[in-house]
Amino acid sequence: MKQYKAYLLDLDGTMYKGDEPIDGASQFIEYLKAQDIPYLFVTNNSSKQPETVAEKLQTMGISATGNEVVTSALATADYIAEEHPGASVYMLGGTGLQTALVDKGLTIKNDEFVDYVVVGLDEAVTYEKLAVATLGVRNGAKFISTNKDVSIPKERGFMPGNGAITSVVSVSTGVQPTFIGKPEPVIMNKALDILNLPKSEVAMIGDLYDTDILSGINVSIDTIHVQTGVSTLADVEAKDIPPTYSYEDLNAVIKSLKGEVD
C-alpha cells in the first residue's frame, strides 16, 4: 500500500460503533502521530461542535482535538459566508450548526424572510419549523442541507437522518437543496484546504461506500475501505469504481503501511 502524507477519516463504523471504539482505531491514530502524519476526522454530523466530537473520541482513547474535526456544519458555514458574507439564515439543527454559522458572521433569524434556509439534523423538529423552512424556500431563499443521510444509527436502531428531514421541505417546495456533507465535494474540499497537500498525497478512509468512499472518489483522491461498518468487501468490489484499497480493519492498514502485508 502507498504511503500517504495525510489521511481523512470517517467516524461511525470506522473509528467507533455507537459508544464503543473499533479495534485498531486508537492504534492507527497513534501510528500516525508517531510518524508525524496529519489527519482530520470528517463527519456529516452537524449537530455537534468539533470540540464535542473530539471529546467523544478522547473518552475512547482516541487522540483528537477540535482542530482535527471537520463537520458538515463548518463546511456549510464556510460555503454560505464565501458566497454571501453576512447573509441571514433560517436554520433547523443543533448547537453545532448554530455556532458555526454565527462564528462566520451570519445572522440567524426565526422567520421565513431570509437569504438562506439551512436544514441540519434537528432532533426537536416540529411542523412549525418545517413550515417556516418551506415558506423561506418558497420566498426565494437558497436551500442548503448539511447532508443527505436518510438514516443514522442510534441505540434503538436506525433513525431518521437529516436527509429525511430535508426531503419534507424538498417535496413541499419542489426545490432540491445544495448538499454540503459527504459524498459531496464541498466538505471534502474544506478538509483538503486545511491539509494543504497535493491530492495525490491524501487518502480517505471509511466504511460506507456511498458516503465515505464516494466522497474521496468525487474529489479524485485515493480511498481506503475498512470492513468494520456498513459496506462489506463484496459490496465495494461490485461497484463500478471500487475503493483503491480494502482492509479488514485499521490494524490491517497499519500492517500494510509497515510493509507487513500487501
Side-chain angles (χ1 to χ4, degrees), residues 10 39 43 67 87 122 168 175 185 196 207 223 229:
D10 172 52
Y39 56 90
T43 175
N67 290 333
D122 188 336
V168 175
V175 177
N196 194 28
D207 71 293
T223 54

Side-chain angles (χ1 to χ4, degrees), residues 5-6 8 38 40 188-199 201-202:
K5 292 184 178 178
L8 302 177
L40 293 172
M188 296 295 287
N189 285 329
K190 175 174 175 58
L192 289 168
D193 286 345
I194 293 170
L195 291 174
N196 194 28
L197 288 168
K199 289 184 177 182
E201 301 295 345
V202 182

Side-chain angles (χ1 to χ4, degrees), residues 19-65:
D19 291 325
E20 295 295 324
I22 293 174
D23 185 37
S26 62
Q27 295 92 327
F28 184 68
I29 297 302
E30 291 309 310
Y31 172 82
L32 295 183
K33 289 172 68 69
Q35 303 295 317
D36 290 323
I37 298 173
Y39 56 90
L40 293 172
F41 300 102
V42 182
T43 175
N44 277 354
N45 189 328
S46 67
S47 60
K48 301 287 192 301
Q49 296 184 48
E51 294 76 15
T52 305
V53 176
E55 286 169 5
K56 176 174 180 175
L57 289 165
Q58 291 163 14
T59 63
M60 299 178 183
I62 300 169
S63 178
T65 67

Side-chain angles (χ1 to χ4, degrees), residues 72-136:
S72 61
L74 293 177
T76 298
D78 278 358
Y79 179 88
I80 296 174
E82 290 173 8
E83 188 174 82
H84 190 158
S88 59
V89 178
Y90 177 75
M91 60 155 278
L92 276 69
T95 57
L97 180 57
Q98 181 176 359
T99 301
L101 294 171
V102 172
D103 285 350
K104 281 294 179 178
L106 304 171
T107 301
I108 307 295
K109 294 183 64 180
N110 290 318
D111 60 51
E112 63 267 32
F113 304 104
V114 290
D115 300 312
Y116 290 81
V117 167
V118 177
V119 178
L121 182 62
D122 188 336
E123 296 185 11
V125 68
T126 63
Y127 183 87
E128 178 60 20
K129 288 181 179 181
L130 292 167
V132 175
T134 297
L135 291 169

